Amino acid sequence: MMKKLVFTTALLGVSGLAAAAPQPATAAQSAAQSATFKLPRFETTKLPNGLTVMLMERREVPLISVRAVVKAGAVNDGAQAGLANLTGDAILLGSTKHDKAAIDEAFDFRGALLSGGSATEQTTVQANFAKADAAALLPLFAEIVQQPSFEAAELDKLKNRKVSGLKQAKESPRQVAGTYYRSMLYGDAPYASPAGGTVNSLSALKRDDVRGFHGRYFRPDNAAVIVVGDFDPAAMRAQIETLFGQWRADGAAPQRADYGKPLADKPRVWLVDKPDAIETTFVIGGPGIARNDPDYVPLQVLNTVLGGRFTSWLNDELRVNSGLTYGANSAFAPLAQSGIFTMSSFTASAKTEAALDLALKTYQRLWAQGKEGGIDKATLDSAKAYVKGQFPPRFETGEQLASLLGDMYALDVDRAQIDNFMRDVDGLTPAKAKQLVDKHFPRTNLQMVLVGKADDIRKVAAKYGDVTELEISADGFKPAAAR
């Protein structure tokens, strides 16, 4: 059965290979591998129709991962929030030559995976299969990318499932708090558009809307086809050209617009009222960085100290030491043009003020000096070791590498950021850490979203900034005046 691919998490590794897996490396071997990690060699070419083709030969196992990436996502929805998301999933409903059942059978019979979906700035279709099945499955993959049927009955079923999912999501504040937060920071800019849409916007979408979105953005000069795995490069290049070389589009390719910058000119609080809530879910932060920012790598280390792992400051203070929550974290959420920074957790309604105050106090340790806080060498060394240990395993499988190449294409990330990751981690000193904290972590005019029972936390909310109240039961993720 085909499954939607979730872009913001680590992708599934290759299964069924445990018997052939090598013995675990020693600590010294792991350290050496980490120190020398480089992105494997790949070639990038462009077909006469404008399609970018990226090929990475990996002969370790007889598997192939292929990924089509289109530079279009929620930022291109306009007034039809959720359109890119619906289109991305609807591509899997069959082609004009083969219906959904036939394509499902072809992939399932061979134990292959076909998946897809849409994110903020990109829509993808991904397939993973054995090398021996490439001749049978690659043509089907090319069909659904270029010639999806968007069969009416299947599309209606998909849309209805998505509408039901949106309704259910608002029963769980932790699922929607981040969407409110991004809407708050980006206002009316395209980056504020909720990827999944809203109940009303999604319900209003028609088959012609989906077909129109596909026609506007799924075109060779706005897309890349990425292949990673066991293949002969010349033969694969020829096969991709045969399957995609006749793909055509009318008019000029869509140009990337200004998708917006975070708004943080004063402290603000969005209080999202869920009358039956017994706990408060909160997100605190402000502007962050773009995905291709030169400081992206060292900031991963600094965020690890603050809230990027179980032993982070935030988790220690809010969970381990005080028992105010079961977990707390922080993250930079980078996009192609800008990004946001978040700290998030949840706590019992009666403990909202205590949890917020402790989170903010812990956050201020980034700027403290000496015994009061700051990031000393021992703390920094521990975070550096953790980040370096986590990095290579993220790019071991063909699927993971295809996903990385897709992000590099869609978000304008240079391979130097990957190749120099270890160098940039090792080069981080306490003095440089302080400079980066001052430069990138928002210290004033913090933005806050609180989702909980407003009657219980209204007075607390007013302590942290100008308060705007919203009803969680209302459609969408904006205040009534802005909808």
Side-chain angles (χ1 to χ4, degrees):
M1 182 177 182
M2 292 186 287
K3 299 180 181 179
K4 182 179 178 183
L5 180 66
V6 182
F7 298 103
T8 54
T9 59
L11 302 180
L12 296 176
V14 178
S15 61
L17 301 177
Q23 294 299 312
T26 65
Q29 289 171 330
S30 296
Q33 291 170 357
S34 296
T36 59
F37 181 86
K38 300 286 185 182
L39 186 63
R41 181 183 178 277
F42 66 94
E43 65 174 60
T44 302
T45 58
K46 188 167 287 191
L47 300 186
N49 62 2
L51 179 69
T52 297
V53 179
M54 306 170 79
L55 302 179
M56 180 184 285
E57 183 183 2
R58 303 277 287 170
R59 296 297 185 105
E60 292 88 347
V61 291
L63 298 173
I64 292 176
S65 293
V66 57
R67 189 179 189 91
V69 181
V70 176
K71 290 184 178 181
V75 291
N76 305 106
D77 282 344
Q80 297 177 295
L83 178 55
N85 183 273
L86 180 61
T87 304
D89 285 354
I91 286 172
L92 304 180
L93 300 179
S95 73
T96 55
K97 296 180 181 179
H98 296 88
D99 63 16
K100 181 178 184 297
I103 291 178
D104 283 355
E105 181 179 359
F107 276 82
D108 289 347
F109 176 74
R110 293 171 173 84
L113 174 68
L114 178 65
S115 55
S118 181
T120 302
E121 296 169 282
Q122 60 178 292
T123 301
T124 72
V125 184
Q126 168 87 22
N128 302 299
F129 43 77
K131 173 184 178 179
D133 296 324
L137 298 182
L138 263 178
L140 292 177
F141 177 86
E143 277 183 27
I144 66 171
V145 171
Q146 299 171 78
Q147 303 165 343
S149 63
F150 300 126
E151 198 275 325
E154 291 287 350
L155 183 61
D156 283 343
K157 287 191 290 185
L158 173 63
K159 186 174 74 171
N160 290 337
R161 289 196 299 270
K162 286 181 168 292
V163 169
S164 296
L166 287 173
K167 293 177 180 178
Q168 293 172 3
K170 287 205 172 186
E171 293 301 315
S172 177
R174 284 172 235 168
Q175 290 190 43
V176 296
T179 307
Y180 280 106
Y181 180 75
R182 200 150 101 182
S183 178
M184 176 188 187
L185 264 69
Y186 282 107
D188 295 326
Y191 274 145
S193 181
T198 73
V199 170
N200 288 349
S201 69
L202 196 56
S203 298
L205 294 178
K206 307 297 183 186
R207 185 185 184 209
D208 283 347
D209 298 320
V210 173
R211 294 173 68 178
F213 188 92
H214 182 273
R216 286 192 299 276
Y217 296 105
F218 277 69
R219 45 187 293 156
D221 49 5
N222 193 47
V225 171
I226 300 157
V227 189
V228 179
D230 186 3
F231 56 81
D232 175 74
M236 180 59 70
R237 193 182 311 112
Q239 188 173 13
I240 294 298
E241 186 161 8
T242 297
L243 294 173
F244 289 91
Q246 302 307 310
W247 194 9
R248 294 290 184 267
D250 296 327
Q255 299 300 308
R256 181 172 284 172
D258 181 356
Y259 296 148
K261 297 291 188 294
L263 307 173
D265 56 339
K266 62 181 179 180
R268 296 182 297 158
V269 181
W270 275 17
L271 174 56
V272 183
D273 184 25
K274 191 175 188 299
D276 62 346
I278 60 174
E279 55 184 34
T280 301
T281 299
F282 60 87
V283 184
I284 310 169
I289 59 169
R291 180 62 179 81
N292 57 6
D293 191 288
D295 295 328
Y296 173 84
V297 170
L299 285 177
Q300 307 311 303
V301 180
L302 302 186
N303 183 69
T304 295
V305 174
L306 176 65
R309 61 175 173 176
F310 186 79
T311 57
S312 68
W313 289 351
L314 285 171
N315 201 62
D316 268 353
E317 293 298 336
L318 272 74
R319 172 181 169 142
V320 180
N321 297 338
S322 67
L324 289 170
T325 182
Y326 287 111
N329 61 78
S330 64
F332 284 94
L335 299 162
Q337 298 178 8
S338 66
I340 56 179
F341 168 75
T342 66
M343 298 180 287
S344 58
S345 188
F346 59 94
T347 191
S349 298
K351 298 179 179 179
T352 299
E353 185 173 12
L356 293 174
D357 283 347
L358 184 55
L360 293 170
K361 179 181 178 181
T362 303
Y363 182 51
Q364 291 301 316
R365 286 174 60 185
L366 287 172
W367 290 273
Q369 299 296 315
K371 295 181 180 180
E372 297 301 319
I375 301 179
D376 58 27
K377 186 177 185 302
T379 301
L380 191 61
D381 287 346
S382 174
K384 287 160 68 172
Y386 176 84
V387 169
K388 289 170 67 175
Q390 296 291 309
F391 181 67
R394 291 165 53 194
F395 307 121
E396 290 181 333
T397 70
E399 187 175 1
Q400 290 171 325
L401 287 165
S403 176
L404 173 63
L405 293 181
D407 285 345
M408 291 169 63
Y409 167 77
L411 304 178
D412 300 325
V413 179
D414 190 89
R415 71 166 294 159
Q417 188 185 89
I418 310 301
D419 289 344
N420 296 330
F421 190 97
M422 297 301 175
R423 182 202 69 184
D424 291 343
V425 171
D426 287 335
L428 187 57
T429 64
K432 185 174 181 180
K434 183 179 184 304
Q435 293 174 354
L436 293 177
V437 166
D438 291 339
K439 180 179 179 181
H440 291 295
F441 285 83
R443 189 175 187 181
T444 60
N445 295 332
L446 293 178
Q447 310 297 294
M448 185 180 297
V449 166
L450 306 177
V451 185
K453 186 176 181 179
D455 286 345
D456 291 347
I457 59 176
R458 185 174 287 112
K459 291 182 179 179
V460 173
K463 175 180 175 181
Y464 303 101
D466 292 348
V467 178
T468 299
E469 291 199 26
L470 302 83
E471 299 291 334
I472 200 168
S473 58
D475 186 57
F477 303 91
K478 293 182 179 293
R483 288 199 296 270

